[in-house]
Amino acid sequence: MEIKSYKKDAFYSYTLGAFPTLELILNHKESLLKILVHSSFKNEEVLAKIQEVSSICDIQINDKLISKLASKENCYIIGIFKKYEMKLNQNKDHIVLAQPMNMGNFGTIIRSALGFNIHDIAIISPCIDIFDPKVLRASMGSFFSTNIQIFPSFEAYQKMYPNRKTHSFMLQATKTLQNHTFQKEIPTSLIFGNESSGLDLSYLNEDSLIIEHEKSIDSLNLPNAVSIALYEFYKQKRS
Amino acid sequence: MEIKSYKKDAFYSYTLGAFPTLELILNHKESLLKILVHSSFKNEEVLAKIQEVSSICDIQINDKLISKLASKENCYIIGIFKKYEMKLNQNKDHIVLAQPMNMGNFGTIIRSALGFNIHDIAIISPCIDIFDPKVLRASMGSFFSTNIQIFPSFEAYQKMYPNRKTHSFMLQATKTLQNHTFQKEIPTSLIFGNESSGLDLSYLNEDSLIIEHEKSIDSLNLPNAVSIALYEFYKQKRS
């Protein structure tokens, strides 16, 4: 198998760096194809963990291929894996992202979500390529502990995961996150629109929430808004 | 004056796009040098606002220079301005950023800060170039409503702005933001470390705070952490 720089239609993707590669090994061993190690990499602890999977995947010292895949970045370990399918957990809380378009933002959201104990993210297409190495890098390896499932429409998501409390975050909402008390007993979905246009008015209802802020800015940046909502939700769930 | 692509040591910088340029005009008219308008730009409302400053600055249709300064971006308006000095307001709440290194992150932080009514940001050097067009772009124009002052050390900041309540955000803190009640009467400084190393232990004291999160991530991304802290602070200040 010849490994080329990532393309959306490839059946594989790869992690850049030791930390995300260890997360890949820890959570998705079954999808490992190959691990590339740079000849100058000497961290014994990491090498030992990589060695543990030598029976199920090829481990190769290949500086040339690393430099090709990592392009400009300093990178000493690359984990190549087969893309896999994920399903959300019906009984857990979800984030729903409608048409996310920025890979760095999406990776950052995955990281915050995991920090606040959300392991399930629904995406309404069209959207970024969730397996792009840029997403994996921005998620700092959190990608591999998260279930991500893409739906053609919000209705399709609701049909597959019914009977949930849903809160759409919208500038048009009248209830504020600051004054809201979440119901703890029922699985909840927190819904966010994309970077430029937010959610359309079909998402607006009596459970919609706005993160109250000064009029001097139009809106918060998407990962910041999602992180704030997750913080408040997590805080209430644990209190 | 020949305008070249931005360099750190230039005495001028520039906004890319109509919205940040209008914010520049609104808040720092006195620093305007020149406004570039693309020949295909037809938004009458924006053009009228630009025309209002025609007596104090040169307005030029110059597609070639716009395309040079904006490089790959779609951009129809550029505002060129003389860099200016800022001072923080002693009586207001501040954010302090120690050694911020990512321009996009810094711009995003400015935007969240303004959204949560913080107009004063201290920076402890070494740091990014605060006037870089990448910062201005990420701040979505919020830069021009914010006072940013650079200090050689945290001690230098404290000497110039004494008698404040300070909270350093650190993973080593024992008090959580979630359980903390801010004092409302005294000007407060919220302090954050940089993207890769956080704050060093010299910042750790009994007022240090941690944003409690799951152990499954090392830390939150910096702009997300700052936004969460600002949200909680703003919420408490207004309640």
Side-chain angles (χ1 to χ4, degrees), chain A residues 1 13 21 83 87 102 119 139 171 182 184 205:
Chain A
M1 177 176 93
S13 181
T21 304
K83 294 177 183 177
K87 281 210 167 283
N102 180 298
H119 292 251
S139 87
L171 296 172
F182 289 102
K184 293 185 192 178
N205 60 40

Side-chain angles (χ1 to χ4, degrees), chain A residues 115 214 224 231-232 234-235, chain B residues 115 214 224 231-232 234-235:
Chain A
E214 299 289 311
N224 291 342
Y231 162 83
E232 183 67 51
Y234 180 77
K235 179 179 165 181
Chain B
E214 299 289 311
N224 291 343
Y231 162 82
E232 183 65 53
Y234 180 77
K235 178 179 167 182

Side-chain angles (χ1 to χ4, degrees), chain A residues 19 23 108-112 114-117 119 140 142 145 177-179 195 211-225 227-228 231-232 234-236 238, chain B residues 19 23 108-112 114-117 119 140 142 145 177-179 195 211-225 227-228 231-232 234-236 238:
Chain A
F19 186 77
E23 289 293 308
T108 300
I109 288 170
I110 297 173
R111 182 173 161 202
S112 278
L114 197 60
F116 293 124
N117 208 22
H119 292 251
M140 307 271 277
S142 301
S145 304
L177 175 67
Q178 279 93 336
N179 290 318
E195 288 83 358
I211 302 170
E212 192 180 14
H213 59 72
E214 299 289 311
K215 300 258 184 309
S216 42
I217 63 166
D218 278 350
S219 67
L220 293 158
N221 149 293
L222 178 64
N224 291 342
S227 299
I228 288 168
Y231 162 83
E232 183 67 51
Y234 180 77
K235 179 179 165 181
Q236 291 190 23
R238 287 167 64 95
Chain B
F19 185 76
E23 289 294 306
T108 301
I109 288 170
I110 298 172
R111 181 173 161 202
S112 278
L114 196 61
F116 293 124
N117 207 24
H119 292 252
M140 308 269 279
S142 300
S145 305
L177 175 68
Q178 280 92 337
N179 289 319
E195 288 83 359
I211 302 169
E212 192 179 15
H213 60 71
E214 299 289 311
K215 300 258 184 310
S216 42
I217 63 167
D218 279 350
S219 67
L220 293 158
N221 149 294
L222 179 62
N224 291 343
S227 299
I228 288 168
Y231 162 82
E232 183 65 53
Y234 180 77
K235 178 179 167 182
Q236 291 190 24
R238 287 169 63 97

Side-chain angles (χ1 to χ4, degrees), chain A residues 11-230:
Chain A
F11 73 93
Y12 60 86
S13 181
Y14 44 81
T15 54
L16 301 170
F19 186 77
T21 304
L22 293 181
E23 289 293 308
L24 164 64
I25 292 173
L26 191 65
N27 295 290
H28 286 281
K29 244 190 215 79
E30 77 289 350
S31 300
L32 277 171
L33 293 171
K34 189 180 286 213
I35 297 175
L36 307 176
V37 180
H38 196 278
S39 59
S40 69
F41 187 79
K42 299 290 176 215
N43 183 319
E44 295 297 335
E45 201 183 332
V46 173
L47 289 172
K49 282 184 183 160
I50 289 173
Q51 213 50 48
E52 281 173 23
V53 292
S54 62
S55 62
I56 56 167
C57 96
D58 186 21
I59 299 169
Q60 211 176 74
I61 294 178
N62 191 334
D63 299 0
K64 200 176 150 195
L65 184 52
I66 288 179
S67 112
K68 181 177 149 194
L69 299 184
S71 60
K72 284 177 221 154
E73 286 179 78
N74 276 330
C75 176
Y76 299 93
I77 302 282
I78 289 182
I80 301 161
F81 65 96
K82 198 168 167 294
K83 294 177 183 177
Y84 49 86
E85 291 225 347
M86 299 167 264
K87 281 210 167 283
L88 308 186
N89 187 328
Q90 165 69 40
N91 303 315
K92 296 291 181 74
D93 301 312
H94 299 171
I95 294 173
V96 181
L97 300 174
Q99 290 91 40
M101 292 298 169
N102 180 298
M103 298 194 267
N105 283 350
F106 180 55
T108 300
I109 288 170
I110 297 173
R111 182 173 161 202
S112 278
L114 197 60
F116 293 124
N117 208 22
I118 304 278
H119 292 251
D120 297 272
I121 302 180
I123 297 187
I124 313 303
S125 65
C127 63
I128 35 106
D129 172 13
I130 62 168
F131 280 104
D132 192 291
K134 292 193 192 80
V135 171
L136 309 182
R137 182 184 50 192
S139 87
M140 307 271 277
S142 301
F143 182 89
F144 300 109
S145 304
T146 305
N147 304 312
I148 302 168
Q149 196 176 348
I150 300 174
F151 298 85
S153 66
F154 184 65
E155 292 65 37
Y157 165 72
Q158 284 193 301
K159 202 170 164 190
M160 191 168 289
Y161 296 98
N163 306 321
R164 308 175 61 83
K165 187 78 183 172
T166 61
H167 293 286
S168 54
F169 283 78
M170 305 182 65
L171 296 172
Q172 298 88 345
T174 48
K175 284 188 190 163
T176 70
L177 175 67
Q178 279 93 336
N179 290 318
H180 184 69
T181 305
F182 289 102
Q183 290 180 24
K184 293 185 192 178
E185 306 70 28
I186 176 169
T188 299
S189 301
L190 306 176
I191 311 161
F192 302 86
N194 87 350
E195 288 83 358
S196 50
S197 53
L199 291 170
D200 68 57
L201 289 174
S202 69
Y203 286 91
L204 189 63
N205 60 40
E206 59 178 11
D207 291 321
S208 296
L209 294 172
I210 179 172
I211 302 170
E212 192 180 14
H213 59 72
E214 299 289 311
K215 300 258 184 309
S216 42
I217 63 166
D218 278 350
S219 67
L220 293 158
N221 149 293
L222 178 64
N224 291 342
V226 175
S227 299
I228 288 168
L230 291 173

